[in-house]
Amino acid sequence: MFIHRFKRGFVLAAAGLTLLFVLAGCGKNASSGTIVEGKVNVITSFYPIYEFAKTIGGEEANVINLLPTGVEPHDWTPRSQDILNASKAQLFLYNGAGLEGWVPNFLKGLGADAKVKTVEVSQGIDLIEAEGDDGHGHGEEAGHEAETDLDHEEETAANQVDPHTWVSPKSAIIMAENIKNSYIEVDPEHKEAYEARYQELLGQLQALDAKFTERLSSLPKKEIVVSHQAFGYLCRDYGLTQHAIMGLSPEAEPRAQDLVALSKLVKEKGIRYVFFEELVSDKLAKTLASEAGVDTLVLNPVEGLTKAQAQAGDNYFTLMEKNLQNLIQALQ
């Protein structure tokens, strides 16, 4: 009966995920930004890079984010206006590490006359290889190694690079430096201004890093169950282990037996919360939590803002602070 209930829950959740991505595809799917003469025009692929680029660029920069508010980046593709804007810009900043599969074709579409400098801002980060972009590696940890009951002898997914670098403040520090260096390369005249704003951002990121290190190291529990495998860098850098319902991509489909094994793990390890995120369906997380007799909490991979978060003035730092408070609550 248990596995049949999970199968029913999975079908409903999968339908919800499909509807979410259809709606996202039908909505506003291109940036509304325009190129501004006399400024460094910067195109960013998604929210965290946009925020860091705006902070460092200041009044010298015009930053256009490709990904609309409320859209999850794994399933998004650019349109012709985005390519046109990028062809006229000075900088195109993207995460890399496999996040934006559309980048190679996007760059081919810029044309031979484009002078835009392309920067993969995850360069220099020690990338994590994790199994399971198809969802079948969800029991493998991209942080500390740990034994689980999830057995994948039938299907072994090829190793995939975990692209979710920015979720760890330690990685975000490297990304911010890469963004600062790219500004200086295309606009050396304003080097001091870029350096000054970068140093201020660096201080904020270092303070956040120190807070995560101090608060998480003192907690008795170290294991979290999450909706998708987006927290490998956070777990690696702060001594945690993630168990994910879905793989590196949030639309990856888990198997019913994997959900059964996760429910067993939740009970055996005394895990009190299953984490979900706002930009994808929470149905599977809530199904697992219900079957395991535990509650749910938000753990935000900060891939983008919801419309409500944007209206409330949330940013990378407020969302990461909320993540820390929810981790503290879950790991007490």
mmCIF file of all heavy atoms in Angstrom, residues 121-159:
data_model
loop_
_atom_site.group_PDB
_atom_site.id
_atom_site.type_symbol
_atom_site.label_atom_id
_atom_site.label_comp_id
_atom_site.label_asym_id
_atom_site.label_seq_id
_atom_site.Cartn_x
_atom_site.Cartn_y
_atom_site.Cartn_z
ATOM 1 N N VAL A 121 31.410 32.478 -14.663
ATOM 2 C CA VAL A 121 31.791 32.998 -13.345
ATOM 3 C C VAL A 121 32.069 31.911 -12.309
ATOM 4 O O VAL A 121 32.547 32.209 -11.209
ATOM 5 C CB VAL A 121 30.745 33.996 -12.806
ATOM 6 C CG1 VAL A 121 30.560 35.152 -13.766
ATOM 7 C CG2 VAL A 121 29.432 33.315 -12.514
ATOM 8 N N SER A 122 31.787 30.659 -12.641
ATOM 9 C CA SER A 122 32.115 29.579 -11.697
ATOM 10 C C SER A 122 33.573 29.115 -11.833
ATOM 11 O O SER A 122 34.009 28.220 -11.097
ATOM 12 C CB SER A 122 31.187 28.383 -11.914
ATOM 13 O OG SER A 122 31.370 27.822 -13.206
ATOM 14 N N GLN A 123 34.319 29.716 -12.769
ATOM 15 C CA GLN A 123 35.728 29.343 -12.938
ATOM 16 C C GLN A 123 36.499 29.530 -11.627
ATOM 17 O O GLN A 123 36.366 30.550 -10.966
ATOM 18 C CB GLN A 123 36.371 30.197 -14.031
ATOM 19 C CG GLN A 123 35.941 29.836 -15.439
ATOM 20 C CD GLN A 123 36.454 28.457 -15.860
ATOM 21 O OE1 GLN A 123 37.575 28.077 -15.580
ATOM 22 N NE2 GLN A 123 35.592 27.714 -16.539
ATOM 23 N N GLY A 124 37.310 28.524 -11.272
ATOM 24 C CA GLY A 124 38.106 28.604 -10.055
ATOM 25 C C GLY A 124 37.486 27.901 -8.865
ATOM 26 O O GLY A 124 38.142 27.691 -7.846
ATOM 27 N N ILE A 125 36.211 27.527 -8.982
ATOM 28 C CA ILE A 125 35.550 26.783 -7.909
ATOM 29 C C ILE A 125 35.849 25.303 -8.076
ATOM 30 O O ILE A 125 35.858 24.786 -9.198
ATOM 31 C CB ILE A 125 34.029 27.032 -7.940
ATOM 32 C CG1 ILE A 125 33.719 28.508 -7.639
ATOM 33 C CG2 ILE A 125 33.297 26.128 -6.952
ATOM 34 C CD1 ILE A 125 32.273 28.884 -7.879
ATOM 35 N N ASP A 126 36.116 24.618 -6.986
ATOM 36 C CA ASP A 126 36.330 23.177 -7.015
ATOM 37 C C ASP A 126 34.968 22.510 -7.214
ATOM 38 O O ASP A 126 34.189 22.370 -6.278
ATOM 39 C CB ASP A 126 36.968 22.721 -5.701
ATOM 40 C CG ASP A 126 37.270 21.233 -5.685
ATOM 41 O OD1 ASP A 126 37.215 20.591 -6.766
ATOM 42 O OD2 ASP A 126 37.543 20.693 -4.585
ATOM 43 N N LEU A 127 34.679 22.130 -8.456
ATOM 44 C CA LEU A 127 33.355 21.638 -8.801
ATOM 45 C C LEU A 127 33.114 20.227 -8.265
ATOM 46 O O LEU A 127 34.033 19.424 -8.144
ATOM 47 C CB LEU A 127 33.150 21.668 -10.315
ATOM 48 C CG LEU A 127 33.214 23.055 -10.971
ATOM 49 C CD1 LEU A 127 33.067 22.931 -12.487
ATOM 50 C CD2 LEU A 127 32.140 23.979 -10.407
ATOM 51 N N ILE A 128 31.853 19.960 -7.975
ATOM 52 C CA ILE A 128 31.432 18.669 -7.438
ATOM 53 C C ILE A 128 30.861 17.811 -8.557
ATOM 54 O O ILE A 128 30.045 18.281 -9.351
ATOM 55 C CB ILE A 128 30.356 18.858 -6.344
ATOM 56 C CG1 ILE A 128 30.961 19.517 -5.106
ATOM 57 C CG2 ILE A 128 29.703 17.525 -5.975
ATOM 58 C CD1 ILE A 128 29.924 19.935 -4.073
ATOM 59 N N GLU A 129 31.288 16.572 -8.626
ATOM 60 C CA GLU A 129 30.649 15.606 -9.509
ATOM 61 C C GLU A 129 29.619 14.844 -8.697
ATOM 62 O O GLU A 129 29.908 14.328 -7.623
ATOM 63 C CB GLU A 129 31.669 14.631 -10.107
ATOM 64 C CG GLU A 129 32.467 15.228 -11.255
ATOM 65 C CD GLU A 129 33.178 14.158 -12.078
ATOM 66 O OE1 GLU A 129 33.104 12.974 -11.690
ATOM 67 O OE2 GLU A 129 33.783 14.518 -13.093
ATOM 68 N N ALA A 130 28.399 14.789 -9.223
ATOM 69 C CA ALA A 130 27.317 14.121 -8.506
ATOM 70 C C ALA A 130 26.552 13.251 -9.467
ATOM 71 O O ALA A 130 26.342 13.621 -10.621
ATOM 72 C CB ALA A 130 26.386 15.152 -7.867
ATOM 73 N N GLU A 131 26.103 12.108 -9.003
ATOM 74 C CA GLU A 131 25.316 11.227 -9.841
ATOM 75 C C GLU A 131 23.883 11.709 -9.893
ATOM 76 O O GLU A 131 23.355 12.238 -8.926
ATOM 77 C CB GLU A 131 25.335 9.790 -9.294
ATOM 78 C CG GLU A 131 26.661 9.085 -9.489
ATOM 79 C CD GLU A 131 26.574 7.629 -9.102
ATOM 80 O OE1 GLU A 131 25.450 7.131 -8.947
ATOM 81 O OE2 GLU A 131 27.621 7.001 -8.959
ATOM 82 N N GLY A 132 23.259 11.518 -11.068
ATOM 83 C CA GLY A 132 21.817 11.542 -11.063
ATOM 84 C C GLY A 132 21.127 12.739 -11.625
ATOM 85 O O GLY A 132 20.197 13.231 -11.016
ATOM 86 N N ASP A 133 21.504 13.238 -12.797
ATOM 87 C CA ASP A 133 20.695 14.289 -13.417
ATOM 88 C C ASP A 133 19.330 13.755 -13.834
ATOM 89 O O ASP A 133 18.395 14.506 -14.026
ATOM 90 C CB ASP A 133 21.419 14.859 -14.644
ATOM 91 C CG ASP A 133 20.839 16.190 -15.067
ATOM 92 O OD1 ASP A 133 20.729 17.070 -14.201
ATOM 93 O OD2 ASP A 133 20.497 16.346 -16.242
ATOM 94 N N ASP A 134 19.236 12.434 -13.949
ATOM 95 C CA ASP A 134 17.941 11.845 -14.297
ATOM 96 C C ASP A 134 17.112 11.511 -13.064
ATOM 97 O O ASP A 134 16.048 10.936 -13.162
ATOM 98 C CB ASP A 134 18.134 10.567 -15.128
ATOM 99 C CG ASP A 134 18.824 9.487 -14.337
ATOM 100 O OD1 ASP A 134 19.312 9.734 -13.226
ATOM 101 O OD2 ASP A 134 18.873 8.350 -14.840
ATOM 102 N N GLY A 135 17.613 11.872 -11.902
ATOM 103 C CA GLY A 135 16.843 11.643 -10.690
ATOM 104 C C GLY A 135 17.170 10.338 -10.005
ATOM 105 O O GLY A 135 16.725 10.099 -8.895
ATOM 106 N N HIS A 136 17.978 9.478 -10.639
ATOM 107 C CA HIS A 136 18.252 8.170 -10.042
ATOM 108 C C HIS A 136 19.450 8.179 -9.107
ATOM 109 O O HIS A 136 19.794 7.150 -8.547
ATOM 110 C CB HIS A 136 18.448 7.123 -11.139
ATOM 111 C CG HIS A 136 17.234 6.917 -11.973
ATOM 112 N ND1 HIS A 136 16.000 6.684 -11.441
ATOM 113 C CD2 HIS A 136 17.056 6.953 -13.320
ATOM 114 C CE1 HIS A 136 15.116 6.544 -12.420
ATOM 115 N NE2 HIS A 136 15.729 6.720 -13.562
ATOM 116 N N GLY A 137 20.075 9.336 -8.943
ATOM 117 C CA GLY A 137 21.199 9.410 -8.015
ATOM 118 C C GLY A 137 20.860 10.209 -6.786
ATOM 119 O O GLY A 137 21.731 10.704 -6.109
ATOM 120 N N HIS A 138 19.559 10.339 -6.491
ATOM 121 C CA HIS A 138 19.180 11.259 -5.443
ATOM 122 C C HIS A 138 19.660 10.849 -4.070
ATOM 123 O O HIS A 138 19.728 11.664 -3.173
ATOM 124 C CB HIS A 138 17.654 11.439 -5.411
ATOM 125 C CG HIS A 138 16.925 10.276 -4.848
ATOM 126 N ND1 HIS A 138 16.419 9.272 -5.618
ATOM 127 C CD2 HIS A 138 16.643 9.931 -3.569
ATOM 128 C CE1 HIS A 138 15.827 8.376 -4.846
ATOM 129 N NE2 HIS A 138 15.964 8.750 -3.611
ATOM 130 N N GLY A 139 20.014 9.590 -3.900
ATOM 131 C CA GLY A 139 20.472 9.161 -2.588
ATOM 132 C C GLY A 139 21.952 9.333 -2.396
ATOM 133 O O GLY A 139 22.483 9.063 -1.330
ATOM 134 N N GLU A 140 22.661 9.780 -3.439
ATOM 135 C CA GLU A 140 24.097 9.968 -3.330
ATOM 136 C C GLU A 140 24.373 11.352 -2.779
ATOM 137 O O GLU A 140 23.762 12.328 -3.165
ATOM 138 C CB GLU A 140 24.756 9.822 -4.699
ATOM 139 C CG GLU A 140 24.467 8.494 -5.379
ATOM 140 C CD GLU A 140 24.987 7.319 -4.601
ATOM 141 O OE1 GLU A 140 26.037 7.463 -3.950
ATOM 142 O OE2 GLU A 140 24.340 6.268 -4.624
ATOM 143 N N GLU A 141 25.317 11.455 -1.887
ATOM 144 C CA GLU A 141 25.590 12.731 -1.253
ATOM 145 C C GLU A 141 26.669 13.485 -1.993
ATOM 146 O O GLU A 141 27.709 12.938 -2.327
ATOM 147 C CB GLU A 141 26.041 12.533 0.198
ATOM 148 C CG GLU A 141 24.921 12.093 1.129
ATOM 149 C CD GLU A 141 24.462 10.686 0.890
ATOM 150 O OE1 GLU A 141 25.294 9.830 0.535
ATOM 151 O OE2 GLU A 141 23.268 10.435 1.044
ATOM 152 N N ALA A 142 26.428 14.761 -2.208
ATOM 153 C CA ALA A 142 27.425 15.626 -2.830
ATOM 154 C C ALA A 142 28.119 16.446 -1.772
ATOM 155 O O ALA A 142 28.642 17.507 -2.015
ATOM 156 C CB ALA A 142 26.753 16.533 -3.858
ATOM 157 N N GLY A 143 28.129 15.979 -0.567
ATOM 158 C CA GLY A 143 28.853 16.632 0.512
ATOM 159 C C GLY A 143 29.707 15.558 1.158
ATOM 160 O O GLY A 143 30.545 14.942 0.537
ATOM 161 N N HIS A 144 29.454 15.255 2.431
ATOM 162 C CA HIS A 144 30.163 14.170 3.082
ATOM 163 C C HIS A 144 29.603 12.845 2.597
ATOM 164 O O HIS A 144 28.410 12.701 2.358
ATOM 165 C CB HIS A 144 29.975 14.272 4.592
ATOM 166 C CG HIS A 144 30.727 15.434 5.172
ATOM 167 N ND1 HIS A 144 30.922 15.601 6.498
ATOM 168 C CD2 HIS A 144 31.323 16.499 4.575
ATOM 169 C CE1 HIS A 144 31.605 16.703 6.720
ATOM 170 N NE2 HIS A 144 31.851 17.270 5.568
ATOM 171 N N GLU A 145 30.457 11.859 2.468
ATOM 172 C CA GLU A 145 29.984 10.540 2.053
ATOM 173 C C GLU A 145 29.219 9.900 3.203
ATOM 174 O O GLU A 145 29.588 10.006 4.366
ATOM 175 C CB GLU A 145 31.175 9.638 1.678
ATOM 176 C CG GLU A 145 31.902 10.096 0.428
ATOM 177 C CD GLU A 145 31.005 10.107 -0.793
ATOM 178 O OE1 GLU A 145 30.195 9.177 -0.933
ATOM 179 O OE2 GLU A 145 31.108 11.047 -1.583
ATOM 180 N N ALA A 146 28.147 9.217 2.879
ATOM 181 C CA ALA A 146 27.370 8.534 3.900
ATOM 182 C C ALA A 146 26.681 7.336 3.269
ATOM 183 O O ALA A 146 26.315 7.355 2.101
ATOM 184 C CB ALA A 146 26.330 9.471 4.507
ATOM 185 N N GLU A 147 26.473 6.291 4.058
ATOM 186 C CA GLU A 147 25.786 5.112 3.583
ATOM 187 C C GLU A 147 24.285 5.382 3.573
ATOM 188 O O GLU A 147 23.745 6.000 4.482
ATOM 189 C CB GLU A 147 26.085 3.919 4.506
ATOM 190 C CG GLU A 147 27.539 3.467 4.454
ATOM 191 C CD GLU A 147 27.933 2.932 3.092
ATOM 192 O OE1 GLU A 147 27.091 2.283 2.453
ATOM 193 O OE2 GLU A 147 29.060 3.174 2.668
ATOM 194 N N THR A 148 23.593 4.909 2.552
ATOM 195 C CA THR A 148 22.136 4.990 2.520
ATOM 196 C C THR A 148 21.595 3.646 2.094
ATOM 197 O O THR A 148 22.332 2.761 1.673
ATOM 198 C CB THR A 148 21.637 6.052 1.519
ATOM 199 O OG1 THR A 148 21.777 5.525 0.192
ATOM 200 C CG2 THR A 148 22.392 7.350 1.640
ATOM 201 N N ASP A 149 20.273 3.523 2.177
ATOM 202 C CA ASP A 149 19.619 2.292 1.749
ATOM 203 C C ASP A 149 19.233 2.341 0.284
ATOM 204 O O ASP A 149 18.597 1.412 -0.216
ATOM 205 C CB ASP A 149 18.360 2.073 2.597
ATOM 206 C CG ASP A 149 18.703 1.823 4.047
ATOM 207 O OD1 ASP A 149 19.653 1.066 4.280
ATOM 208 O OD2 ASP A 149 18.031 2.379 4.930
ATOM 209 N N LEU A 150 19.577 3.391 -0.414
ATOM 210 C CA LEU A 150 19.161 3.521 -1.805
ATOM 211 C C LEU A 150 20.127 2.740 -2.690
ATOM 212 O O LEU A 150 21.305 3.037 -2.756
ATOM 213 C CB LEU A 150 19.133 4.991 -2.210
ATOM 214 C CG LEU A 150 18.291 5.876 -1.286
ATOM 215 C CD1 LEU A 150 18.317 7.305 -1.788
ATOM 216 C CD2 LEU A 150 16.871 5.370 -1.212
ATOM 217 N N ASP A 151 19.601 1.752 -3.369
ATOM 218 C CA ASP A 151 20.429 0.859 -4.162
ATOM 219 C C ASP A 151 20.129 1.062 -5.633
ATOM 220 O O ASP A 151 19.001 0.886 -6.070
ATOM 221 C CB ASP A 151 20.127 -0.596 -3.768
ATOM 222 C CG ASP A 151 21.067 -1.582 -4.434
ATOM 223 O OD1 ASP A 151 21.895 -1.145 -5.256
ATOM 224 O OD2 ASP A 151 20.961 -2.776 -4.128
ATOM 225 N N HIS A 152 21.140 1.447 -6.399
ATOM 226 C CA HIS A 152 20.919 1.729 -7.810
ATOM 227 C C HIS A 152 21.725 0.775 -8.692
ATOM 228 O O HIS A 152 22.381 1.175 -9.626
ATOM 229 C CB HIS A 152 21.288 3.177 -8.125
ATOM 230 C CG HIS A 152 20.496 4.143 -7.324
ATOM 231 N ND1 HIS A 152 19.199 4.452 -7.637
ATOM 232 C CD2 HIS A 152 20.802 4.857 -6.218
ATOM 233 C CE1 HIS A 152 18.736 5.325 -6.758
ATOM 234 N NE2 HIS A 152 19.680 5.578 -5.896
ATOM 235 N N GLU A 153 21.657 -0.527 -8.387
ATOM 236 C CA GLU A 153 22.401 -1.493 -9.176
ATOM 237 C C GLU A 153 21.835 -1.605 -10.592
ATOM 238 O O GLU A 153 22.565 -1.864 -11.542
ATOM 239 C CB GLU A 153 22.352 -2.860 -8.485
ATOM 240 C CG GLU A 153 23.146 -2.888 -7.181
ATOM 241 C CD GLU A 153 23.035 -4.239 -6.508
ATOM 242 O OE1 GLU A 153 22.259 -5.087 -6.982
ATOM 243 O OE2 GLU A 153 23.734 -4.433 -5.515
ATOM 244 N N GLU A 154 20.509 -1.388 -10.738
ATOM 245 C CA GLU A 154 19.889 -1.551 -12.049
ATOM 246 C C GLU A 154 20.297 -0.435 -13.002
ATOM 247 O O GLU A 154 20.500 -0.655 -14.177
ATOM 248 C CB GLU A 154 18.374 -1.570 -11.897
ATOM 249 C CG GLU A 154 17.869 -2.743 -11.076
ATOM 250 C CD GLU A 154 16.370 -2.661 -10.876
ATOM 251 O OE1 GLU A 154 15.741 -1.771 -11.471
ATOM 252 O OE2 GLU A 154 15.847 -3.496 -10.129
ATOM 253 N N GLU A 155 20.380 0.807 -12.468
ATOM 254 C CA GLU A 155 20.688 1.946 -13.317
ATOM 255 C C GLU A 155 21.719 2.819 -12.620
ATOM 256 O O GLU A 155 21.486 3.287 -11.527
ATOM 257 C CB GLU A 155 19.435 2.792 -13.575
ATOM 258 C CG GLU A 155 18.333 2.057 -14.274
ATOM 259 C CD GLU A 155 17.146 2.975 -14.466
ATOM 260 O OE1 GLU A 155 17.276 3.938 -15.235
ATOM 261 O OE2 GLU A 155 16.116 2.720 -13.840
ATOM 262 N N THR A 156 22.844 3.035 -13.238
ATOM 263 C CA THR A 156 23.855 3.917 -12.681
ATOM 264 C C THR A 156 24.022 5.098 -13.620
ATOM 265 O O THR A 156 24.453 4.947 -14.752
ATOM 266 C CB THR A 156 25.210 3.185 -12.526
ATOM 267 O OG1 THR A 156 25.012 2.059 -11.682
ATOM 268 C CG2 THR A 156 26.253 4.109 -11.914
ATOM 269 N N ALA A 157 23.649 6.261 -13.136
ATOM 270 C CA ALA A 157 23.730 7.446 -13.978
ATOM 271 C C ALA A 157 25.171 7.894 -14.119
ATOM 272 O O ALA A 157 25.982 7.739 -13.216
ATOM 273 C CB ALA A 157 22.899 8.581 -13.357
ATOM 274 N N ALA A 158 25.473 8.444 -15.282
ATOM 275 C CA ALA A 158 26.804 9.001 -15.488
ATOM 276 C C ALA A 158 26.992 10.193 -14.565
ATOM 277 O O ALA A 158 26.052 10.902 -14.241
ATOM 278 C CB ALA A 158 26.953 9.437 -16.947
ATOM 279 N N ASN A 159 28.228 10.401 -14.130
ATOM 280 C CA ASN A 159 28.496 11.529 -13.258
ATOM 281 C C ASN A 159 28.201 12.839 -13.967
ATOM 282 O O ASN A 159 28.558 13.035 -15.123
ATOM 283 C CB ASN A 159 29.953 11.510 -12.781
ATOM 284 C CG ASN A 159 30.162 10.517 -11.662
ATOM 285 O OD1 ASN A 159 29.214 9.926 -11.160
ATOM 286 N ND2 ASN A 159 31.401 10.335 -11.269
#
